[in-house]
Amino acid sequence: LAIGKAPARKDPTKPAILINGGHHGDELLSVNAALDVAQQLLKSNSTEVVSLRESLITWVVPLVNPDGNRHFLEDSTRAGRKNGRDLDGDGTRGLVDGVDLNRNYPHQWAGRCGIGCARSTPQSLRFRGPVAGSAPATHAIMALAEQEGFAASISFHMGTIAVIYPRAGENDPALKSLADSVAKALGRHPNGRPYHARAPGRAGWGADQEWLYAICTYALLVVL
């Protein structure tokens, strides 16, 4: 979805931003979060939202990983986070098949490993794929980002409660201030825990926000 007051021709002065969810097939709430953003932008007539519609084009991609999501919902809840790629070529997507889309982006794709890091072993839950940017969904997000030149992005995920900024932005005070502002605006999770901004620790290599930041997008990952 591209939401905004579209100009007669592409207006380079009107920034575009990206909202996405569902990079991982088993993170269902992240899809709902992206759809909630779209619903608010389309239906709310508050002064703040009207201003956003007037001044921005907001691209919402609610489900980056449709094949992984389908496999998780319809075949097995043990399917996990990866996409639907048949790695062993037997004609079916087994439980250890698939690529972790959020470890498949080119920036630091083969970076150092730690807990949560991209893995080169196909059986791993965080298998980064045979080649950087090789998954069709990853390629599609990259093509959209290169087309639109997003000023900012939010990628919704599930897990720990945090607003995560790119590792490469740890020395960028404006980015960290933005992450702090988003965390403050989110307040507390329904379970009572407060959101806080932080770097991704030892994870994040090959993740979308790292690649987006590398191409000059202020990218954040909001973990619900």
Side-chain angles (χ1 to χ4, degrees), residues 128-224:
R128 64 192 180 202
V131 178
S134 58
T138 307
H139 182 77
I141 293 293
M142 291 169 58
L144 180 62
E146 288 164 350
Q147 170 188 299
E148 296 300 316
F150 294 118
S153 79
I154 288 179
S155 180
F156 287 108
H157 287 260
M158 290 175 61
T160 185
I161 298 164
V163 176
I164 300 176
Y165 51 82
R167 178 184 287 99
E170 288 188 276
N171 295 318
D172 184 337
L175 176 67
K176 295 177 76 171
S177 176
L178 176 64
D180 286 335
S181 296
V182 171
K184 183 178 179 181
L186 286 169
R188 290 184 176 273
H189 189 274
N191 70 10
R193 290 173 57 191
Y195 279 90
H196 62 281
R198 64 171 177 82
R202 289 179 288 180
W205 300 119
D208 74 317
Q209 84 269 28
E210 299 288 343
W211 179 80
L212 286 164
Y213 183 74
I215 63 165
C216 300
T217 297
Y218 265 28
L220 299 176
L221 191 153
V222 173
V223 191
L224 304 169

Side-chain angles (χ1 to χ4, degrees), residues 54-91:
E54 293 279 338
S55 60
L56 299 173
I57 300 294
T58 302
W59 285 81
V60 182
V61 183
L63 182 53
V64 176
N65 185 6
D67 48 332
N69 178 266
R70 188 214 64 79
H71 187 60
F72 177 79
L73 289 174
E74 298 184 20
D75 295 334
S76 174
T77 55
R78 295 171 57 205
R81 56 196 279 133
K82 298 194 285 184
N83 73 353
R85 180 167 179 167
D86 174 18
L87 294 175
D88 58 14
D90 66 355

Side-chain angles (χ1 to χ4, degrees), residues 16-32:
I17 63 173
L18 172 65
I19 304 292
N20 72 73
H23 262 88
H24 293 133
D26 59 353
E27 295 184 2
L28 307 183
L29 187 61
S30 69
V31 180
N32 287 353

